[in-house]
Every structure is written in C-alpha cells, then in structure tokens.
Amino acid sequence: MLIDSHCHLDGTYFPAGADEPIARAQAAGVSGFVVIGVGETTAQAQMAVALARRRPECVAAAVGVHPHDASVVTAEGSTVFAEIETLSREDAVVAVGEIGLDYHYDPSPREVQREVFARFIALARATGKPIVVHTREAAADTLELLASEGARDVGGIIHCFSEDRPFAEKALDLGFDLSFSGIVTFKSARAIQDVAAWAPLDRVLVETDSPYLAPIPLRGKPCEPAYVVHTARHVAALRGIDLGTLAEATHANSERRFRRAFPT
Ligand SMILES: [Zn+2]
Ligand SMILES: [Zn+2]
C-alpha cells in the first residue's frame, strides 16, 4: 500500500470534503495521507489537523506557511506564527511544512521568505518534528538555510523534488529524503528522473501534491491522492523494480520519517 506523503485536501479544492478522495485513493491502493495545511490564514492548517484527528488511522497533518504567503507571518500584529506554533504541538501533526523558498513568482519578498523559513526551522527544532521543504528556483539559498539553521537536527523531506543530482546529494547529506510528485512522469523532466532512478531506495517517497501536478496519463486534470499510483509506477520503472517493491520501500520510509504507522 502506498502513502501519499504530501497532499492538499482542504475545502478550497475538495468542497464536498476529503472523505471521497480518500476513499478513491484507498480503492486504488493508497493507505496513508500526509495532509498539508497551508494558506493565507491558518484555516487550512486547522482543517488538516481536524481531518487527522477525525481519521487518525490513515491521515497525518503537517502545518506551516507556504513561502508564497510568508508575508502574512511578518505583517504587523500577525498571529499566524503563534497559531501554527500551537497547532504544531498536536499529536496529529507529524511535520512542520510546507515551508521554504520560492523565487519563481516571488509572491513574498525574498528576504521575508528567508526570515520566515528560518523561524519555522527553529520551530521544528523546538518541537522535534521534521520539516517539509518547498523549494523552487532557490536551490542555493535553501541548502544554505537548511545548513545554517541546523535543520539536520530534525531532518525532513524535499517535497515535489524538482532539482538536480548535485542538489539531491547535498540534501541527502543534510538528512533530507526526496519526495517525487507527478512531475517525474513528465517527458521533459530528465534530470528529476535521473535522481529518482539513482537516489537510495530508503530515502525516496512519493506524493501527489494534490490538487496540482497530476501525473501522466492524467496530466492537466485536477490531481487527487489516488493518482500517486501512476507516479509510483513510473519511479519503479525508472529504477527497474516492480511497483510492489517500490510501495513497500516508500511506505516504510514514510513511516520512519513521520514516526507513525500507516495501514498496510
Ligand atoms: Zn510545494
Ligand atoms: Zn504542497
């Protein structure tokens, strides 16, 4: 049984609730879900925690502030960081994230992104929970901050891995696993496929990043956790192993990284 190590299931994307996409994923062979709660407010984080509390057998939550929204943390009078801090201590929360740097659209100023990323790494260290890292066109700064802020102490995941092998080697050295999304199935993603084929099997996870980035053959559709099967099959083929072997390894890796069990 596969684990979707990173999905967004809040009402913005699934207005009828998360139970239906979860049921469809379970029918497809996906038994666990790490639901990411991020947004302009803490509403999504609260929803992720509530879902993980209601479905503890299969759902775990991660809470943070996406780099797109980093400015909400530093806005005068903002209580967002304090609210995430409180939520992050819940048992249902297995990681802090997603957090990181995104220099593609620069939706928040880069210095603000860096400051907020550092604050959340410190929070993760204080809670002893791993971090889920989003990085886009910010490879050097991401690696530098992970190192300088001591992220190695908690480790975590480079989610939706879309960098190259030199980055992967440094991230692995810093104690970060690599999670592959539907991007790895795209024809243009040669460098990512190389890393997916090469990375140590005990450091690889799979995810959908639902509702984004549906894998081939469903590219362009709204993505949901059931589709992680296509991504896993592609990664298995790249590695020359069968889907069952890949599923078993990524299941164990998810359990070890998030320090909880998921159904088998
Ligand atoms: Zn992301
Ligand atoms: Zn995400």
Side-chain angles (χ1 to χ4, degrees), residues 13 23 41 57 111 158 161 175 182 192 194 197-198 216 234 248 250:
Y13 312 117
T41 69
E57 78 289 354
E111 63 274 16
I158 306 296
F161 185 85
I192 300 167
D194 286 347
W198 155 83
I216 287 173
H234 196 86
E248 199 176 313
T250 53

Side-chain angles (χ1 to χ4, degrees), residues 20-35:
E20 287 177 15
I22 286 174
R24 286 193 291 271
Q26 288 171 327
V30 186
S31 69
F33 311 87
V34 180
V35 175

